[in-house]
Amino acid sequence: MMGRPSPGGAALLAGLALWLLAALPGPAGALVGDSRAGFGLDGSLRTILGLSDSSALPEAWGDSRDVLSQTLLRLTAAGRPVEWLKYEVHLVQSLTLTPSQTRGAGLADQERDLAYRALDEKWTWLEEDDALAGLWLDRFNLKISLPRIDLTLGRQAVTFGQAYFWNPLDVFLPFDPSQFDRDYKAGVDALRLDLALGQFSGLNLVWAPGRRLTAGGRFADDEGVLDASWSGSALLARLFTNLSGWDLSFLAGKVYGGWQVGAGATGEIGWLEVRAEAAWLEARDGQPLPPPLEGDLVEDHLTAVLGLGHRFDNSLTLEAEYLYNGAGDPDHLEAAMIRTADGFSLHWGRHLVGLMVSYELSPLTLGRAVFIQSLSDGSAQVQPGLTVSLSDNSELLLGVTWNLGRPPREEAGLVEPRSEFGSAPHFYYLEVKVYF
């Protein structure tokens, strides 16, 4: 008699079934109703098959080549029952199959996207050494629209930055510069008021209650389903306008870890698109780094980005940016690694540059290459990739993330990092996305 499959085996079978479903293009269109009317139900299914290669990093990761996969089923309910009221709900089911819970670039992680979330509604229904499955609400909010005022309450995506790789003004769960799939941004629990001051001017006020997080990215004070603290919350005001063709913005308020002020500008000089953002954080966290490291987890620092870009008539697009990362500490990489992992620094180093090149190889195929280099330690990340349209509602992504630089070394039984990107494994991926 055949025995009962293990949870990991059952998850593997479920992942393969979802992958086959995703690989078969279907007809476009909503599942039920119309989200522009009273009720509409849509969704998407994405699955990633990847290979994490750490064979060149035996000291830090072990000499291994791990196959992993993740499938995300997203159901989106939205509607506008009356002219002044709109709602949306995103329910996400995740299934991740990976040895030792290895995290690869581009994989969603419901265990770490917890900043500025007061409500703990996720349900992890499978947690094994090689399998993790969970169900959570990525967004659920109501939006009330009045003359000159919009009020949004609930879990919502909030985006303030306009740079390409790095966004100092994008406080709420910004995308990692190595993230190749940016279809959906995780939501935060917030009350947001948008006030129109003119045709191109306005004021945004955001209060986002949240909890303190541990060094591993989990809730530090688990007091129940609903909880919040002042240190884990944000209260921000953002003023924006347009002057002489330039979009200008100014931001100030309380964020996780301290108080922040910043400004941004986007415009054109001749045929060049120009983007500039800068933010100063005055730390108020006071949490020390784990011993024997010295210093605090959050310290005062400046983050600034200057970017240039242009799209040519033949579809060739170029984007270049320079990042000054004041929270980086290239002389103490262990401390820099912890601050970056906990979201208080964008990178380990102080000075980085990024370059993106994309070109439409055919009407159905887009080629894209990203290069990011740390000028502080000389390491680099290279990401070539292809996006192929399979049908009106499905596409295929193929790509590689190569990490180059000095690898870690083992000394007296301890692993010492010697460069940022040189400490990460290579990642090869294939992703299929279907929208319905």
Side-chain angles (χ1 to χ4, degrees):
M1 179 179 295
M2 183 177 295
R4 182 179 179 180
S6 65
L12 177 60
L13 293 177
L16 291 175
L18 288 174
W19 189 88
L20 290 174
L21 177 61
L24 297 175
L31 285 176
V32 178
D34 186 350
S35 59
R36 294 167 297 182
F39 174 80
L41 180 64
D42 302 278
S44 66
L45 184 65
R46 96 172 194 183
T47 185
I48 298 174
L49 297 178
L51 172 66
S52 179
D53 182 5
S54 59
S55 57
L57 305 169
E59 293 86 356
W61 297 85
D63 185 358
S64 64
R65 294 177 176 86
D66 296 326
V67 178
L68 53 92
S69 73
Q70 183 179 71
T71 298
L72 293 177
L73 173 64
R74 179 185 294 265
L75 295 179
T76 304
R80 190 187 293 271
V82 293
E83 185 63 28
W84 53 270
L85 180 64
K86 184 179 180 181
Y87 67 90
E88 68 169 346
V89 179
H90 290 202
L91 179 65
V92 180
Q93 169 64 65
S94 169
L95 173 63
T96 304
L97 306 175
T98 168
S100 304
Q101 303 302 331
T102 301
R103 297 292 179 242
L107 297 190
D109 188 356
Q110 72 268 30
E111 298 297 329
R112 292 195 61 86
D113 290 336
L114 299 179
Y116 303 113
R117 288 191 173 184
L119 181 63
D120 182 10
E121 85 316 329
K122 69 180 184 302
W123 174 39
T124 301
W125 54 268
L126 175 65
E127 190 168 8
E128 300 288 339
D129 290 340
D130 59 354
L132 179 68
L135 185 70
W136 72 92
L137 289 170
D138 194 48
R139 299 181 197 175
F140 52 94
N141 59 76
L142 291 174
K143 182 176 182 179
I144 300 173
S145 297
L146 303 173
R148 299 183 60 188
I149 295 179
D150 288 336
L151 183 65
T152 308
L153 174 63
R155 184 161 296 174
Q156 55 191 286
V158 180
T159 301
F160 285 154
Q162 297 186 32
Y164 184 83
F165 289 101
W166 303 284
N167 294 273
L169 300 183
D170 195 5
V171 174
F172 302 105
L173 301 180
F175 287 116
D176 187 276
S178 63
Q179 185 76 31
F180 56 83
D181 188 350
R182 303 188 181 189
D183 279 358
Y184 293 98
K185 185 178 183 182
V188 297
D189 298 338
L191 173 63
R192 173 172 176 167
L193 185 146
D194 300 310
L195 174 63
L197 301 178
Q199 188 174 4
F200 302 105
S201 303
L203 175 67
N204 310 124
L205 298 174
V206 178
W207 172 53
R211 314 185 193 196
R212 286 181 62 91
L213 302 179
T214 66
R218 298 174 182 263
F219 291 134
D221 303 315
D222 192 359
E223 299 296 336
V225 175
L226 184 64
D227 188 30
S229 67
W230 172 246
S231 62
S233 302
L235 182 60
L236 285 171
R238 174 179 176 266
L239 180 67
F240 64 91
T241 189
N242 183 281
L243 293 177
S244 301
W246 285 77
D247 293 326
L248 307 177
S249 61
F250 307 90
L251 180 147
K254 163 72 173 61
V255 298
Y256 195 120
W259 295 83
Q260 179 170 302
V261 294
T266 304
E268 295 183 354
I269 299 179
W271 56 275
L272 277 178
E273 302 171 1
V274 180
R275 300 176 300 275
E277 288 186 20
W280 169 261
L281 177 71
E282 184 176 340
R284 284 293 182 268
D285 185 88
Q287 181 179 351
L289 289 165
L293 300 177
E294 299 180 354
D296 291 334
L297 183 62
V298 188
E299 297 181 343
D300 298 351
H301 66 271
L302 172 70
T303 306
V305 169
L306 176 62
L308 303 174
H310 183 71
R311 178 180 172 86
F312 296 89
D313 293 337
N314 64 354
S315 81
L316 176 65
T317 302
L318 301 176
E319 301 285 351
E321 284 182 3
Y322 162 75
L323 167 69
Y324 174 77
N325 180 42
D329 192 350
D331 296 326
H332 304 89
L333 291 183
E334 293 88 348
M337 177 176 60
I338 293 175
R339 292 190 180 107
T340 304
D342 288 355
F344 295 112
S345 177
L346 297 177
H347 288 279
W348 300 7
R350 287 277 175 87
H351 305 279
L352 292 97
V353 291
L355 175 65
M356 190 281 294
V357 180
S358 69
Y359 183 73
E360 293 181 5
L361 303 175
S362 75
L364 300 178
T365 305
L366 175 68
R368 180 174 173 269
V370 170
F371 175 78
I372 300 174
Q373 181 168 26
S374 172
L375 303 180
S376 299
D377 60 32
S379 64
Q381 186 176 83
V382 183
Q383 301 178 28
L386 290 175
T387 300
V388 182
S389 176
L390 301 177
S391 68
D392 290 341
N393 65 318
S394 61
E395 60 184 15
L396 169 69
L397 280 68
L398 297 166
V400 180
T401 299
W402 284 311
N403 292 294
L404 312 172
R406 291 189 298 170
R409 66 183 175 189
E410 186 174 355
E411 191 169 301
L414 299 176
V415 177
E416 177 190 357
R418 296 191 296 166
S419 70
E420 178 175 1
F421 297 114
S423 301
H426 304 315
F427 186 68
Y428 306 81
Y429 66 88
L430 177 152
E431 179 180 9
V432 178
K433 296 190 289 185
V434 179
Y435 306 90
F436 46 83

